[in-house]
Amino acid sequence: MTLGLAFDALLCLLILSAAGLAVCGRRLFASIAFFVTYGILIGISWLRLGAVDVALAEVAIGAGLTGVLLIGAWAAIRRRRGNDGLALDATGAMNAADEAEAGDDPVMPRPRRLVAAVACSVLAGLLAAAVAALPAEVPGLLPAVTEKLADSGVSNPVTAVLLNFRAYDTLMESIVLLMALVAVWALTPEALWGDEPGLRQHARGDGVLATFGKVLPPLGALVGAYLIWAGSDRPGGAFQGGTILAAVWLLAIMAGMARAPRQSSRFLRLALVAGPVVFLGVGLAGAAFGVFLGFSAEYAKRLILLIELALAVSIAATLALLVAGTPVARGGS
Amino acid sequence: MTITGALLYALCGVVLIGVGTYGFMTRAHLLRRVLAFNVIGSGVFLLIGALGRRTAGAQADPVPHALIITGIVVALSLTALAVALVLRHVGETGRVVLPEEDAEEGG
């Protein structure tokens, strides 16, 4: 027990150091790298808290996809800043981009930083006092979930909450995801509308990316499909599995093995809305027999699996396209 | 009050909220703001999850876990939208900070 506690304390210290370096690091790229490390450390803390489902989601989405998004944005900004100057050779362009980056990344003057530090310490202190005031042991909603688990159709309590007891939240979440993609696509410049989203890479045939792009997708697709299937009775589910499928797809696109779909593709749009539509349809069918999103215990497992399969397809497509972003003008100018 | 793992992680989450807020306040670079927002977010998730681990037995409360998974996905959606807005802002103005921050820096 004490050894476990020592590990927990050490892990918390590592998490806080990584967060500090990610937030205050001198160079933006190093900050992003520390942020990815931080996400993986947080994933380990979820394992220690007995939340394997959350650990999978955190590592895949919080560290993985968010990291890809930030690095992609960093590279896009750098390219743009590099192009602002005169035409330089490769190393010269790098230096120009470095300088532009340093000038663009201002830090508040010291006295105001001090005020901010005091304000944030007070905030954390108040929250800590609130945490300390809470009772050390509460049953929470665990007894209620355990009691009804047999009627939910699945035996993983987290999946039962996500897709049965609080299916409302998850339905809204799948729609939020879709709305976010609509909003990102709305930022597409007029002339490029309907085109392939950005992220087009030219990986060298013998490079690391190209090799990974060939080796990892089959394995990743297998792991993703397994997680979706396993979600009903052990950790996993549509979100974790769908994220891995999204990552596999992105990797294949970045390695030049596959092409990103055009925004105007009808097939793509069908994949994007399949999850929310099936979810909503099942919910409305439930309403016809009594309760909106109410699954009778007899059919619950089949209905949940149907929703999870459709959701996984939509989640994979939506997440991949969210990370890919808007189409970008090609040709360097 | 005895120190438990759950309490440690809850306090860790609290400090993360503080660290993230500090980064959000002191750094003007828009990508750093997006990053700091994510640190605040995961601090909140850790706090909620750790508080859900105050159950008596070996099993944690699954309801906060489901909420956090939902939260992680929503945070990614927001991050993707924020990054798209930042890139469009950089494309339009060539600057990676907001106009009011530019004014404060004196040019």
Side-chain angles (χ1 to χ4, degrees):
Chain A
M1 189 61 209
T2 42
L3 197 64
L5 209 57
F7 178 83
D8 291 334
L10 192 65
L11 184 58
C12 284
L13 277 181
L14 280 173
I15 289 173
L16 292 175
S17 317
L21 287 165
V23 164
C24 303
R26 197 175 292 263
R27 295 174 62 106
L28 185 52
F29 185 79
S31 282
I32 296 172
F34 274 114
F35 177 76
V36 174
T37 316
Y38 160 81
I40 290 169
L41 290 172
I42 291 264
I44 298 173
S45 78
W46 286 122
L47 290 181
R48 293 288 301 163
L49 287 166
V52 185
D53 292 271
V54 183
L56 285 168
E58 173 68 41
V59 171
I61 303 177
L65 288 187
T66 310
V68 174
L69 253 174
L70 291 174
I71 292 175
W74 173 83
I77 291 173
R78 202 179 157 88
R79 262 198 307 277
R80 149 124 203 150
R81 306 291 305 177
N83 286 347
D84 280 352
L86 295 166
L88 294 161
D89 62 312
T91 49
M94 287 295 234
N95 291 338
D98 270 341
E99 272 168 35
E101 195 175 292
D104 268 342
D105 193 4
V107 187
M108 256 188 183
R110 192 178 289 266
R112 281 162 66 194
R113 260 197 342 250
L114 206 63
V115 174
V118 170
C120 294
S121 305
V122 171
L123 172 70
L126 288 175
L127 282 171
V131 168
L134 290 169
E137 205 178 288
V138 286
L141 289 166
L142 182 59
V145 172
T146 314
E147 188 195 334
K148 295 283 180 197
L149 191 59
D151 292 339
S152 73
V154 289
S155 53
N156 175 1
V158 177
T159 306
V161 174
L162 271 175
L163 286 155
N164 197 333
F165 304 146
R166 297 205 56 99
Y168 224 100
D169 292 349
T170 311
L171 172 62
M172 290 303 161
E173 173 192 8
S174 67
I175 295 171
V176 164
L177 209 54
L178 194 59
M179 285 294 128
L181 184 65
V182 170
V184 168
W185 278 11
L187 294 166
T188 307
E190 184 83 39
L192 300 171
W193 173 250
D195 221 337
E196 290 168 22
L199 207 78
R200 210 165 38 177
Q201 307 286 327
H202 302 281
R204 280 186 16 231
D206 55 347
V208 175
L209 191 56
T211 310
F212 270 137
K214 281 177 200 139
V215 173
L216 282 185
L219 285 174
L222 188 67
V223 173
Y226 170 76
L227 277 180
I228 297 163
W229 175 252
S232 59
D233 58 358
R234 64 200 83 172
F239 288 100
Q240 294 89 340
T243 308
I244 292 180
L245 293 182
V248 164
W249 196 22
L250 284 169
L251 184 64
I253 294 171
M254 285 197 268
M257 301 291 294
R259 292 189 65 170
R262 297 172 63 82
Q263 279 178 328
S264 52
S265 155
R266 193 156 296 234
F267 182 68
L268 172 70
R269 292 182 182 191
L270 211 63
L272 291 175
V273 297
V277 164
V278 167
F279 208 156
L280 205 57
V282 172
L284 288 174
F289 289 99
V291 191
F292 179 63
L293 286 173
F295 312 145
S296 79
E298 196 185 337
Y299 300 108
K301 170 142 196 179
R302 267 169 273 178
L303 290 178
I304 287 178
L305 273 179
L306 175 70
I307 294 171
E308 285 223 89
L309 281 178
L311 264 188
V313 171
S314 292
I315 289 166
T318 314
L319 287 179
L321 289 167
L322 274 175
V323 172
T326 58
V328 287
R330 294 200 196 93
S333 60
Chain B
M1 184 175 54
T2 53
I3 303 285
T4 60
L7 184 69
L8 269 183
Y9 288 111
L11 291 178
C12 183
V14 163
V15 178
L16 287 176
I17 296 171
V19 170
T21 312
Y22 174 78
F24 200 88
M25 287 166 83
T26 55
R27 304 302 287 261
H29 194 295
L30 289 169
L31 276 190
R32 283 191 180 275
R33 292 239 158 118
V34 175
L35 194 153
F37 156 81
N38 272 287
V39 172
I40 300 174
S42 53
V44 172
F45 298 148
L46 196 57
L47 176 58
I48 298 174
L51 292 180
R53 188 63 191 86
R54 293 175 301 149
T55 46
Q59 215 185 350
D61 188 347
V63 177
H65 293 180
L67 288 179
I68 293 163
I69 292 173
T70 304
I72 289 174
V73 175
V74 171
L76 178 81
S77 316
L78 256 171
T79 304
L81 178 55
V83 162
L85 283 168
V86 170
L87 290 180
R88 187 69 194 262
H89 175 74
V90 174
E92 299 285 326
T93 65
R95 303 287 298 147
V96 288
V97 295
L98 292 175
E100 45 270 45
E101 310 281 353
D102 262 348
E104 274 186 24
E105 294 297 318

